[in-house]
Amino acid sequence: TFDHIESKASPTRSRGCPNNSTRDRPELESTRTREIERLKAIAAMPGKAADDAAGCSRCTFPLEKPVSDIRRNLLEWYDRHQRELPWRQGTSVDGQPIAAPSAHGTTNNTRAYAVWVSEVMLQQTQVATVVRFYTKWMSKWPTVAALAAASLEQVNEVWAGLGYYSRARRLHEGAVHVMEKLAGHIPQSMVELQKLPGIGPYTAAAIASIAFGEVTGLVDGNVIRVLTRLRAITAEVNSSSATAKHLWALSNRLIDPSRPGDFNQAVMELGATVCHPKKPLCHECPVRANCNAQNLAAQATESTTADNGCAMCAFDPDSPLDIESFPVKRAKKKSTEHCYVALVVESQNAFLMTQRQKGGLLAGMWEFPNLEISGESEVADGLRRAAATVGPSISDHAFHAHGTVEHVFSHRRHTYHVFSHRDERLSPCREASEADEGEAVRRWLTAAEIGQAAVPTNMKKVFRACTGEAPTKRATKRRKTKAANVMSISKYFKKEEQGS
């Protein structure tokens, strides 16, 4: 039941915002309604149900004091040590700063949008990398309306280099959905946020708690590491739905109802800056007194031994685990190997590019013509077939070899055998060509345009193999100077011909 909520509910507020009296009945009722919706959503969502999550007293938080201690100590630490990041400070839009969540748990649309963008970018990407891309993104599209009005091509161009390009496509789709279906209003609850394209439980919980003050926990990689160490959870975190349910239950148990957004960010901050995967800074941890992973030796001698019937925290005393053993993960599958012939074709200082299909890996991105082959033994035949796709008059013997380039995606390892050719007779068309059925759209780009276009990192590596330097976006005078000294493919061939 949800009968207990009214007695325990308190208005949500953020640090720096005035608290509201719990005697304010409309405010309390609003908080109660949101809490009921949240708990119903948790019960209904796979991998998040709290009531049926496994766990014993050793790997849960049955007592209130440890919970209150963790909340207090972690938030005090966060207030002193949080990093200054642009999505926390708010982004200025037309001179107006983004507001922090108010005492009523609401905020303006721009604040929610900023959190949404940052959380999507931070998935699978380091904070230091995201800061640069986030700043550029928000300066170009400071509101959800601005993003929705952009083309996917423009979005891919700004995202190029950040990786996992499907995130950009889903973010754009979500913005279009908000403008066309929701009159431009981003949903305020975790339940409704998950109805947007590309938003799952974690991103929905982050936006709802940080931007709107909804009292809901969240689970990401940093949170998993902190929680599994706090409770010494030995169950594999990447292969069991029961473990996922348990972690969501722990996160929702710990969430501070007065500062849910700050608390979620504090847990993630702890995982990112103190509770490292390797060599964690345990002496700096504000919740080390509540960390079971610190006391594994003592646990092994307690009456609740390894064989306590708990699927979450059972361990073998004869095979002790140290703190770096958490979280326990099933070994990843090896990346699949893929081999390609890639062609860099130049004519009149422009390079031939083709556009990938709209679905799948690197959807809609621009790349140099390439052809997948079964292995190194097929390079010669692959070059012949790839050359034929560029133009019937081009012989594979006209291409120069530049060795191989490797690029690793999350689940694939690509090896490119790189070849280049310069032919002034090709008369490149500067506009994207109409493609026949089954053929890729073609476009000719200069080196500078390649640096600006939606060209993925693997193709920039291919380009570097031919020129000795990657295309630059020439954002500063210093970069322009550097780019001016880069040898073009035309000069490369001239030098090669002179030396031969």
Side-chain angles (χ1 to χ4, degrees):
T1 68
F2 304 102
D3 295 338
H4 69 287
I5 296 175
E6 184 170 349
S7 62
K8 293 185 178 181
S10 61
T12 56
R13 65 185 178 93
S14 178
R15 178 165 44 85
C17 296
N19 195 3
N20 206 25
S21 171
T22 57
R23 292 174 292 183
D24 185 349
R25 185 68 186 185
E27 169 72 15
L28 182 60
E29 186 63 28
S30 176
T31 301
R32 180 177 185 272
T33 301
R34 290 197 304 272
E35 181 69 357
I36 290 174
E37 289 181 355
R38 181 183 71 84
L39 293 178
K40 285 180 178 178
I42 290 172
M45 287 183 350
K48 279 198 62 178
D51 294 339
D52 61 350
C56 64
S57 60
R58 190 170 66 190
C59 60
T60 58
F61 293 98
L63 303 178
E64 288 296 329
K65 188 177 187 308
V67 173
S68 60
D69 288 346
I70 289 174
R71 289 173 178 170
R72 182 185 64 256
N73 294 334
L74 188 54
L75 283 171
E76 288 178 354
W77 171 83
Y78 180 69
D79 290 342
R80 294 193 305 270
H81 298 289
Q82 63 173 294
R83 292 169 292 178
E84 293 185 0
L85 300 172
W87 46 88
R88 289 177 181 165
Q89 299 166 352
T91 302
S92 177
V93 179
D94 297 329
Q96 300 298 318
I98 295 175
S102 71
H104 299 279
T106 60
T107 186
N108 61 53
N109 230 33
T110 308
R111 170 62 180 167
Y113 169 67
V115 175
W116 184 6
V117 172
S118 67
E119 290 300 331
V120 171
M121 286 188 172
L122 285 165
Q123 295 168 16
Q124 306 291 329
T125 307
Q126 302 252 346
V127 168
T129 301
V130 169
V131 168
R132 176 167 54 89
F133 281 88
Y134 173 86
T135 302
K136 180 179 180 180
W137 182 285
M138 294 301 289
S139 66
K140 191 173 184 66
W141 302 302
T143 64
V144 67
L147 175 59
S151 67
L152 182 57
E153 175 76 11
Q154 293 172 320
V155 170
N156 282 335
E157 287 176 1
V158 174
W159 196 277
L162 194 57
Y164 298 94
Y165 296 92
S166 60
R167 294 180 297 172
R169 184 181 70 254
R170 291 195 297 266
L171 187 54
H172 182 253
E173 291 173 353
V176 171
H177 181 93
V178 167
M179 296 307 299
E180 293 183 351
K181 306 294 185 182
L182 303 175
H185 299 293
I186 297 175
Q188 297 188 14
S189 72
M190 180 181 176
V191 178
E192 293 301 318
L193 280 163
Q194 289 185 81
K195 297 178 182 179
L196 297 182
I199 292 188
Y202 162 73
T203 305
I207 298 171
S209 63
I210 298 171
F212 298 113
E214 183 174 345
V215 184
T216 181
L218 52 75
V219 173
D220 78 337
N222 285 318
V223 175
I224 288 173
R225 188 161 57 254
V226 171
L227 292 178
T228 55
R229 289 173 177 178
L230 279 176
R231 298 293 86 184
I233 295 171
T234 55
E236 291 180 345
V237 299
N238 58 344
S239 62
S240 169
S241 61
T243 309
K245 291 179 181 180
H246 187 65
L247 292 171
W248 275 99
L250 289 178
S251 182
N252 280 292
R253 174 76 170 104
L254 290 177
I255 190 71
D256 190 304
S258 65
R259 295 173 59 184
D262 283 342
F263 186 83
N264 280 332
Q265 290 182 94
V267 180
M268 292 188 286
E269 188 82 344
L270 184 69
T273 63
V274 174
C275 196
H276 302 305
K278 301 294 182 183
K279 298 181 180 179
L281 308 177
C282 296
H283 61 286
E284 297 181 13
C285 180
V287 294
R288 59 184 177 276
N290 302 99
C291 183
N292 283 350
Q294 289 270 37
N295 304 295
L296 285 175
Q299 288 186 41
T301 60
E302 293 175 356
S303 57
T304 53
T305 60
D307 187 17
N308 65 349
C310 179
M312 292 295 109
C313 63
F315 63 94
D316 183 358
D318 296 327
S319 302
L321 299 171
D322 60 22
I323 196 165
E324 292 185 5
S325 301
F326 299 95
V328 178
K329 298 180 180 180
R330 175 177 291 179
K332 291 183 179 180
K333 295 181 179 179
K334 290 185 177 181
S335 299
T336 56
E337 300 286 341
H338 299 266
C339 193
Y340 297 83
V341 168
L343 308 182
V344 178
V345 179
E346 182 187 13
S347 182
Q348 301 178 30
N349 296 319
F351 301 89
L352 178 61
M353 309 292 291
T354 60
Q355 189 173 35
R356 292 183 64 86
Q357 297 298 316
K358 299 301 182 182
L361 183 69
L362 306 175
M365 305 291 282
W366 291 95
E367 62 183 3
F368 296 104
N370 63 87
L371 182 71
E372 185 169 9
I373 58 178
S374 61
E376 190 169 352
S377 61
E378 284 196 6
V379 170
D381 181 63
L383 174 59
R384 179 184 57 78
R385 290 186 287 131
T389 65
V390 175
S393 62
I394 300 178
S395 167
D396 55 304
H397 298 294
F399 283 85
H400 298 260
H402 295 273
T404 60
V405 166
E406 290 190 352
H407 185 78
V408 180
F409 296 95
S410 59
H411 56 293
R412 301 163 63 100
R413 178 185 294 273
H414 287 196
T415 299
Y416 298 92
H417 294 266
V418 182
F419 296 86
S420 64
H421 172 64
R422 179 172 59 88
D423 191 335
E424 301 299 333
R425 300 170 300 169
L426 295 179
S427 301
C429 176
R430 304 294 290 120
E431 301 296 330
S433 62
E434 294 292 334
D436 295 331
E437 186 176 354
E439 294 185 355
V441 175
R442 292 187 175 194
R443 185 180 179 187
W444 291 81
L445 300 175
T446 65
E449 289 169 338
I450 290 174
Q452 297 284 354
V455 178
T457 302
N458 61 325
M459 288 295 119
K460 290 180 179 178
K461 288 182 178 180
V462 168
F463 192 79
R464 184 187 299 122
C466 296
T467 64
E469 187 63 42
T472 69
K473 296 191 176 182
R474 300 191 294 180
T476 64
K477 290 183 178 179
R478 182 178 180 183
R479 289 183 179 177
K480 285 184 179 180
T481 301
K482 185 175 181 180
N485 294 326
V486 174
M487 183 182 295
S488 70
I489 286 187
S490 301
K491 292 181 179 179
Y492 172 87
F493 285 127
K494 288 178 181 179
K495 184 176 180 181
E496 187 181 65
E497 290 167 359
Q498 291 172 357
S500 60

